Structures are given as structure tokens and as C-alpha cells.
Amino acid sequence: MIRLEFIWRNLWRNKTRTALTIASFATFMFLLTSLHAIVSSISEVGQRAQKELRLVVHHKSTMTKLLPLSQVPKIAALPGVRAVCPVRWFGGRIVDSTEQFPSLAADVDAMPVIYSDFELSPEEVGQWRSMRSAAVVGFELARRMHWARGQRVSLRSTIPPYAELEFQVVAITSAPAYPNLFGFRLDYLIEALKQFKNVPAELRDAAHFIWVKAESPSALNSIGPEIDSLFVNSLNPTVTEPEEAFITQFTMMFGNIPAILRGIGLILVLSIALVAGSTLSISLRGRLGELSVLRAIGFSWRKMFAALCAESMLIGLMGAVGGGVLLALCPRTMLLASAGVPYLPPMELSWGLLGWAMLVGMLLGLCAAILPVLRVTRVPVTQTLRALEA
Amino acid sequence: MTLPMRYAARQVVARLRQNFLTVVCVGLVVAVFGYLLSISDGLRKALRLTADSALVIVLAEPATAESNSAISHEDAQKLAAVPGVALGRAGQPCVSCEYVVQADVHRPGGSRASAIVRGVDPSVALQVRPAVKVINGRWFNPGSDELVVGRTAAVQFLEGRAGKKLLCGDRLFEVVGVIDSGGGVHESEFWGYAPNIKQAYRRTMYSSATLRLENSDADHVAAVCERIGSACVALRGVHSPAYYESQGRGAVMIERLNMGLVLLMGLGAVFAAANMMHATVASRTRELGVLRAIGFSPRQVLVAVILESLLLSLIGGAVGAVLCGLWLTILHPSKDLVSSATFSSLAFRVSYSLKCAGWSLAIAAIIGLAGGIWPARSAGRLSITSALRSN
């Protein structure tokens, strides 16, 4: 067996070359690992949503059209439904600020049941119930705006009739699916809308979405079609989707983000393989004679092959670790996927991610090595030795 | 100085095969850059083409876009009386009050998007926007549930194909024609007859109004906007170029992403290029020694190596640019982006411009220079005697 030391020494024979290759590998791996982290946080949010057994009901024609609140008790009466929560888009902005975040009004009683993943303490739930202007804020939004519990916030809606409301933050949720959420009570909003004479009652007592929580996974599948058939011939036909599908569709409205990320990732993988492959073939060209001597004195081509591949995999491993270190050093705000897109969770760093990067790095090193190494080891020893003499 | 250029060019030809992989790597970086730049430029261009300096868009005071604006019919009537507005052929003021609503559409891949449906009265809307014309099919009949579709939306959304039906509010509207507005965002919209759209969406208020002014002087525009604000307190007038400028957030986001990607991928490529040049310098140390011995200065050798790196990188860049251009032209002539303020999709055409190609080559050149400079310095510093002795 060829010892690891032999491989290690060979690796550092040309320090500049190896250092440059690792540096190049590390920058590409940094990008690749960040992409992977974003994609896996997105799918993790989807998986968590599945466990919550939630469905989303919205208007059939477009999500911006309101559904009357009279639909809520009808849905709640269906068998298998645990809770129903109307949610209304507010589109609030802080006056004189360009910050954008999703602000939504939700039913006061149903909210803590439907969004049990907010993990609010009993005290926080108590405040939410007792204070009409209560608001629950996502951790990332709170960090960005320097809000703490008890903070008073005034928001003006960007959709007609442009109500302006004053809120008090009663809880900051660390739920990873809602980093930028601003949630408040629907009854508070509807009360405010009563002051607008030009808002008719059917647009006032209405919501954009109705969130439904099922009692069991089997009920989850049957409730959707039942809800839609309830309203199919009404003025407001509905579409009901599992929350996961809804979030995917919602994110897809902003473009096929996972596909774009995969495309960029593929290009990064190709670049890494090209860099590693080109370095290795340069390095092998210079060592042709020496390799022939090794084979002439009895090392089998299999051993040579393994040693050279191991060398390339080692470079890949170090590059991946380098990329991981860069990622860990990167300020956390930089890692957040664009704050303007709701439902895009922040990237989470973990040891598993580093493990993934190391594995991918070694695999890429191996892939890049196969062709150049085969080319060298395939040449008959006699031929290369003769070439050396000449 | 005849040495560096010709020598470098010949080296490139002789060594292209050996450096092929690194050259392709530079090409990839440039291709990704060009792809993203084309998209953000396409959006910006569409917004710029829509802007018309003789138009003022009237919105509700707190609204950020036409689709979240609401104007009462009472206020809309006051707009007709604002002085400084151009008069149409029949002597009526060029004030087009419109409903801007949304409908769910599907991209050819099956994913859902939200398109803008604009309810207009063609007799006024076309005098306000004379560039809009039907290029295929016919205009909708006033009073019937029909739509015309912008030419970009016709490509980007399945519902935009002729004869297809689109669910608008409560009713199905049939697509009967394709309109062109000389580029710009109206080509990503569906247009229907205002009263029909109003009924289908049960709207009680207009969304926005577009005014054509007598002239496009900055002073005149400002004066009209001020008169709008004083006539109707709840409204504000926005100069069309400023309005479309404010709708370009999506472009800014892509530009940031592109900047980050190019910086990092470029850095990776610089390391790769430096590696490549180190290897070529190392493999012909003796040759460089000979050049020095027959009288070429260290500076000329240095320049020759840098030029070689530059040329190799530029070849990679050119290949990347050409491939990216072909890809975009053949496969993806249009894209759409959602505005995070209004949740409606803005479709636009994407084309690989000369500007894109220029920037792409510039980036390739920077990669080549940055990667070549260090190896070139060590090549220039070679001592003649030891270089000649090496093999």
C-alpha cells in the first residue's frame, strides 16, 4: 500500500500550485455550499409544513381576491377539521421607510392553534388574546428593525383603503419558516376598516386566505376537495392546497428559484471539476518520468492510480473545508436569502453541511482525477522511460 | 516591443490544448455573468421603454404601484379638468382611467404566476398611448368578455395564446388579439374593456389614471402634478419615467446577486488562471532564459507572459459570451419577474446585447490580468544563467 505520507509530500511538492488550486476550489465550494444550504432550508421548511397538517384556501381566480368570512364556519363544520384561521394580507410599511416585509392579519383565537410552530409561551398567547393591537414578529425582521417585545410599531397599508394602524409587539417568534413575518389580529384590522365609508361590508368582513388545520394526515387529503366543492357554485369559488404546495407555488411566482439555484450549482460543480482536472494534468505532465520509474520498479498501475486519485481527493477535501471556513466567517446577514421574498428561510449552518461539503469536495476531486490519471497510467512504461532518455 | 504580442499569440495557439480546461472555466464564469446581466438589463429596458416623458400616472397617495392603487370615480372626474392635459382628436382631455387587476396564469413549465389585467376604454387609452397597436388578431369588442394580450405575455404565459380563455374575477375572458407597444411592460399585460373588467372583479373604484400632457417640460410636469394633488387630496401624480424607475427593484436584486456571484466565481477563476500561467512559465524556463540572453528585457518577458494570460482568458471569455448569447437567443427569449410590492409578474424580452458582450470580455480580461501578473513577475525576475541551466 502506498503510504499517506507519500501522497501528502507529493501534494506539497509545488506549494504555489497546490495552494492556488485549493484557494480556487475553496471559493467555488463556498458558493456551492451556500446554495446547498439555501435549497435544503427551503425543503426543510416544506417538510416541517407537512407535519403541521395545514391547508390553504384562496380564491380561485387570484390570490389577491378576498374570500368572505362567512365561509369560515362552513369550513369549520367539516369533519376532520381541527381549526380554521382566516388570514388577510395587509401589505404594511413603516411610514417613510422602504423596508418590505409580509404583514398579515390572522384570527385571534385560531392563530395560536394553527401556528403552533410559532412556539409562543402561554404568557405571550395571553397577551395576544388580551391586547387588540398585539403583533407577533419574525426573528429576522425584529433583528433588522431592532425591535424588542413591547415595541410600538405603526404601519400603513399599501393596499386600499390604506389603513394606518398602531401595534405593540408581544412576541418574537424564532420559527424558521417565518423570519420576516409581521402578524397581528384580524378583528383589530376589521374594526379599523369600519371607519372607511367606501369599503363595503363584503370587502371588509373578508380575508385573502383561510388556513385550515386537519386532525389527521388522512383528513388532510380529503378536506381539500370537500372545501372546494362547498363553494364551487358560489360567488367565491375556492382552491385548497396543502400548505407545502402553496408555499412552493408562492415561491415559484418569484421565478423557479430552486431550478435557478440548481443551474448555478451545476455550473459551479463544472468549474470546480475543470480547475481540479487542469491542475492535476499539469502536475502529472511534470511528473511523467518519475511515475514511470515508480512503475518500472514494481508498483502496479492500480496502486499508482489510487495514489494519484487520493492526491486529488485530498485537494478537494481541503478546498471544501476552506470553503466551509469562509462560510462560517461570513457575516450572517449576508447569508440570508433575499428578504423581499416571503417564505424563503434563512440559511442554517451545521456540521452536517460541512460533512456534505467535504464529501462533495472529495467526489469532485476524484471525478476530476480519473481522466488525466488514466491518460498517464495507460501509457506503457517502456515508452515513457524511452522518452525521458531522449 | 514586437516580441510580446507575436510571441504571446503563438504561445497561445501552441498551448491552447494544455490550458483548455482553465479557458473553459473562465468561459463558464463569463457565461453566468452574461446570463444574469441580460435578465436584469431586459427588465430595465422594458421599464425604460414604457416610460414616456409626456405621461403622468395618477395613483392614490399611499399606493406604491397601479395595482394597489384605488381612485374614486368622483376624483377621476376632477382629473379631466386639470389644466395642462393634452386634448384628444375629439377635443376630450387625454385622461385614461383604468382598472389594473390580476389574474392567475401559467408559465409553459406549469408554474403559476400572476399577470396584470388592465381594463381600458380604447378610445381614450390609445390616444394616451399611441404606440399601442394590434399586430395579430383584432381588438376586443367593447361590451364583450374579450381580451387582447401583450406580445411578451403571449409567449410567457399559456393563457396568452390566441383563443385561450383567462379567468378574470368571476368570468372567463377570451383572448382575441396580440398587441405591441414598442417594447415595454404593457406587452406583459392583458387588456380588456373597462366596464367588463370592472364587473368581473366587482370593482367600485378605478385603480389609476394616465394623463397625456401638452408638453413634457419638467416644469410643466411638476405643475400638473401639483394641480392634481391640490384638486384631489387623496391622489398624487407621478411622472411616468419616475414611476417605472421605482418598479425596478427586481432588477436591483438580480444585479446584486450577479455582482456577488461574479466576484466569487471570478476570484476562483483568477486562482485557476494563475495556476495555469505558473505551469507554463515553469515548463519553459529555459526558453525564457534564451529570450533574455539574446537581449529581450525582463520587462518584455513580463509583458509577453501577461499578454499570453490575457489572450487565453479572452478566448475563454469569447467562447462563454457566444454560448450564453446563443442560449439566450434560442431558448429563452422572454422571462418574467414578480414585483415583491404587487405580486404581479412582469414579463419582458431578454436579449444578449453588445453591452453584455463587452462587459463579459472585460471580466475575462480582468481575470486574465489578475491571474497572469504574479507568474509574469516571477518570469521577468528569472536569472539568465540559472534559467539557461534548467531543463
Side-chain angles (χ1 to χ4, degrees):
Chain A
M1 187 60 208
I2 294 181
R3 285 164 56 197
L4 200 63
E5 195 192 343
F6 172 81
I7 298 168
W8 184 255
R9 293 231 168 151
N10 258 326
L11 193 58
W12 291 103
R13 205 150 57 163
N14 188 331
K15 291 198 182 60
T16 330
R17 180 191 298 148
T18 308
L20 280 171
T21 313
I22 293 177
S24 182
F25 220 102
T27 35
F28 285 118
M29 277 308 287
F30 166 77
L31 280 170
L32 191 64
T33 314
S34 341
L35 288 188
H36 176 73
I38 295 173
V39 172
S40 59
S41 342
I42 292 177
S43 71
E44 198 177 323
V45 163
Q47 280 161 10
R48 275 187 212 170
Q50 237 172 356
K51 279 193 223 121
E52 296 290 330
L53 304 177
R54 287 190 291 235
L55 295 155
V56 183
V57 185
H58 60 84
H59 201 285
K60 193 179 174 192
S61 85
T62 162
M63 278 185 224
T64 50
K65 237 175 119 62
L66 289 157
L67 295 170
L69 290 185
S70 60
Q71 289 184 340
V72 172
K74 289 178 191 154
I75 296 173
L78 288 174
V81 171
R82 193 168 147 219
V84 182
C85 181
V87 171
R88 184 165 176 145
W89 180 258
F90 183 62
R93 284 223 198 157
I94 298 163
V95 180
D96 297 328
S97 157
T98 52
E99 290 279 349
Q100 289 185 12
F101 46 85
S103 49
L104 297 153
D107 185 74
V108 55
D109 294 315
M111 190 285 275
V113 185
I114 290 267
Y115 298 106
S116 50
D117 51 341
F118 277 9
E119 291 177 354
L120 303 183
S121 69
E123 184 205 349
E124 287 168 335
V125 174
Q127 275 193 309
W128 162 267
R129 285 189 202 280
S130 63
M131 194 186 299
R132 286 164 46 77
S133 60
V136 175
V137 174
F139 64 96
E140 171 55 23
L141 179 63
R143 190 196 59 78
R144 208 167 70 223
M145 310 301 296
H146 308 290
W147 290 342
R149 280 185 63 188
Q151 173 83 37
R152 288 186 180 281
V153 180
S154 172
L155 295 186
R156 188 179 198 186
S157 172
T158 50
I159 54 175
Y162 315 110
E164 191 165 346
L165 292 175
E166 179 100 17
F167 302 100
Q168 187 167 355
V169 177
V170 298
I172 290 166
T173 170
S174 53
Y178 314 94
N180 289 301
L181 180 82
F182 190 97
F184 61 98
R185 284 170 51 163
L186 183 59
D187 53 342
Y188 184 50
L189 174 61
I190 289 177
E191 201 54 45
L193 292 178
K194 282 183 183 160
Q195 290 162 19
F196 291 89
K197 296 283 174 288
N198 56 1
V199 179
E202 73 256 29
L203 292 184
R204 184 186 66 215
D205 301 322
H208 289 105
F209 310 104
I210 299 175
W211 245 262
V212 178
K213 194 167 186 127
E215 268 169 355
S216 64
S218 58
L220 186 75
N221 296 324
S222 61
I223 292 173
E226 280 178 46
I227 294 174
D228 292 343
S229 63
L230 266 186
F231 306 115
V232 70
N233 287 320
S234 75
L235 269 177
N236 294 292
T238 58
V239 173
T240 307
E241 296 171 296
E243 186 182 39
E244 192 193 356
F246 172 76
I247 292 177
T248 312
Q249 283 284 356
F250 199 81
T251 320
M252 290 277 267
M253 289 204 337
F254 290 84
N256 194 345
I257 293 175
I260 294 169
L261 296 183
R262 267 199 300 275
I264 298 176
L266 195 69
I267 289 193
L268 288 172
V269 164
L270 253 171
S271 315
I272 296 174
L274 288 174
V275 170
S278 91
T279 323
L280 200 68
S281 54
I282 290 169
S283 143
L284 289 182
R285 225 176 287 139
R287 273 152 57 184
L288 209 53
E290 175 191 313
L291 292 171
S292 335
V293 171
L294 278 176
R295 280 184 56 199
I297 62 174
F299 284 96
S300 70
W301 79 267
R302 272 200 196 86
K303 274 189 183 170
M304 301 299 312
F305 185 82
L308 293 172
C309 285
E311 199 180 310
S312 179
M313 283 164 79
L314 215 52
I315 289 187
L317 188 65
M318 286 190 282
V321 172
V325 170
L326 277 179
L327 196 58
L329 291 178
C330 212
R332 201 161 153 65
T333 44
M334 251 185 74
L335 307 183
L336 279 166
S338 142
V341 184
Y343 292 120
L344 214 54
M347 181 197 300
E348 280 173 52
L349 300 183
S350 64
W351 288 110
L353 191 65
L354 184 65
W356 177 87
M358 285 162 69
L359 200 71
V360 169
M362 291 207 304
L363 266 176
L364 282 172
L366 179 64
C367 292
I370 287 175
L371 272 182
V373 172
L374 267 184
R375 202 186 306 146
V376 175
T377 44
R378 246 188 359 217
V379 182
V381 184
T382 44
Q383 197 181 319
T384 44
L385 281 176
R386 209 175 297 132
L388 271 188
E389 264 168 39
Chain B
M1 286 292 278
T2 50
L3 164 77
M5 196 60 218
R6 279 177 61 195
Y7 176 73
R10 291 191 179 181
Q11 284 293 344
V12 167
V13 175
R15 289 172 189 271
L16 194 57
R17 232 186 98 226
Q18 287 172 16
N19 296 322
F20 179 70
L21 294 176
T22 314
V23 168
V24 172
C25 183
V26 174
L28 278 178
V29 174
V30 164
V32 169
F33 167 79
Y35 185 76
L36 290 172
L37 184 65
S38 301
I39 292 178
S40 54
D41 269 8
L43 176 57
R44 279 197 188 284
K45 189 177 167 203
L47 292 170
R48 207 175 49 241
L49 284 174
T50 323
D52 180 336
S53 59
L55 296 184
V56 162
I57 294 164
V58 180
L59 304 172
E61 204 276 318
T64 51
E66 286 182 294
S67 53
N68 60 23
S69 166
I71 298 180
S72 69
H73 288 212
E74 196 185 347
D75 278 345
Q77 279 181 346
K78 289 186 200 157
L79 290 175
V82 169
V85 173
L87 294 182
R89 277 190 296 275
Q92 86 283 25
C94 283
V95 175
S96 177
C97 294
E98 296 165 357
Y99 299 95
V100 180
V101 288
Q102 284 153 325
D104 274 12
V105 290
H106 294 84
R107 303 188 182 101
S111 66
R112 202 159 64 198
S114 184
I116 284 191
V117 177
R118 191 179 287 270
V120 297
D121 177 354
S123 64
V124 203
L126 293 181
Q127 290 190 33
V128 172
R129 302 190 194 82
V132 175
K133 54 186 179 294
V134 163
I135 52 168
N136 221 328
R138 58 171 174 87
W139 274 102
F140 51 80
N141 283 325
S144 56
D145 286 354
E146 293 175 342
L147 295 169
V148 289
V149 59
R151 55 186 294 182
T152 327
V155 179
Q156 188 70 5
F157 306 125
L158 290 175
E159 285 80 356
R161 313 285 152 87
K164 286 269 180 181
K165 296 221 156 134
L166 177 64
L167 181 65
C168 297
D170 307 329
R171 299 183 346 207
L172 278 172
F173 280 60
E174 192 185 345
V175 175
V176 296
V178 180
I179 53 170
D180 176 294
S181 67
V185 300
H186 295 312
E187 294 184 359
S188 79
E189 300 172 347
F190 291 81
W191 283 21
Y193 189 54
N196 289 62
I197 298 290
K198 174 186 169 161
Q199 281 160 23
Y201 284 86
R202 282 178 268 152
R203 296 283 296 219
T204 53
M205 292 165 106
Y206 288 117
S207 303
S208 65
T210 304
L211 278 55
R212 176 162 286 278
L213 307 188
E214 279 165 352
N215 64 62
S216 53
D217 288 356
D219 291 344
H220 185 70
V221 172
V224 170
C225 287
E226 204 186 308
R227 275 176 218 144
I228 292 169
S230 56
C232 322
V233 184
L235 304 185
R236 68 187 168 109
V238 191
H239 197 201
S240 162
Y243 175 78
Y244 287 106
E245 175 79 39
S246 73
Q247 302 298 308
R249 258 182 90 101
V252 175
M253 255 168 62
I254 296 179
E255 275 156 13
R256 275 191 206 149
L257 170 75
N258 200 2
M259 196 89 85
L261 266 180
V262 155
L263 264 177
L264 282 165
M265 289 185 71
L267 190 66
V270 166
F271 290 136
N275 225 342
M276 159 183 89
M277 290 318 291
H278 264 302
T280 83
V281 168
S283 68
R284 43 180 221 262
T285 309
R286 189 191 275 177
E287 185 182 309
L288 294 172
V290 170
L291 286 177
R292 291 288 315 283
I294 60 174
F296 288 106
S297 71
R299 208 187 139 81
Q300 281 171 310
V301 170
L302 179 138
V303 172
V305 174
I306 289 187
L307 274 177
E308 189 181 330
S309 170
L310 187 67
L311 281 174
L312 277 168
S313 204
L314 279 174
I315 291 174
V319 171
V322 167
L323 287 181
C324 178
L326 283 177
W327 172 271
L328 277 173
T329 318
I330 296 169
L331 289 172
H332 294 277
S334 75
K335 282 258 171 271
D336 68 286
L337 274 181
V338 169
S339 140
S340 57
T342 60
F343 295 119
S344 51
S345 286
L346 216 159
F348 50 90
R349 274 175 272 176
V350 176
S351 59
Y352 198 78
S353 62
L354 271 178
K355 174 193 157 197
C356 250
W359 274 106
S360 296
L361 287 181
I363 283 172
I366 292 171
I367 293 173
L369 282 177
I373 225 153
W374 186 21
R377 274 180 55 187
S378 60
R381 281 205 200 116
L382 284 175
S383 97
I384 301 179
T385 44
S386 62
L388 284 175
R389 219 173 287 136
S390 78
N391 47 28

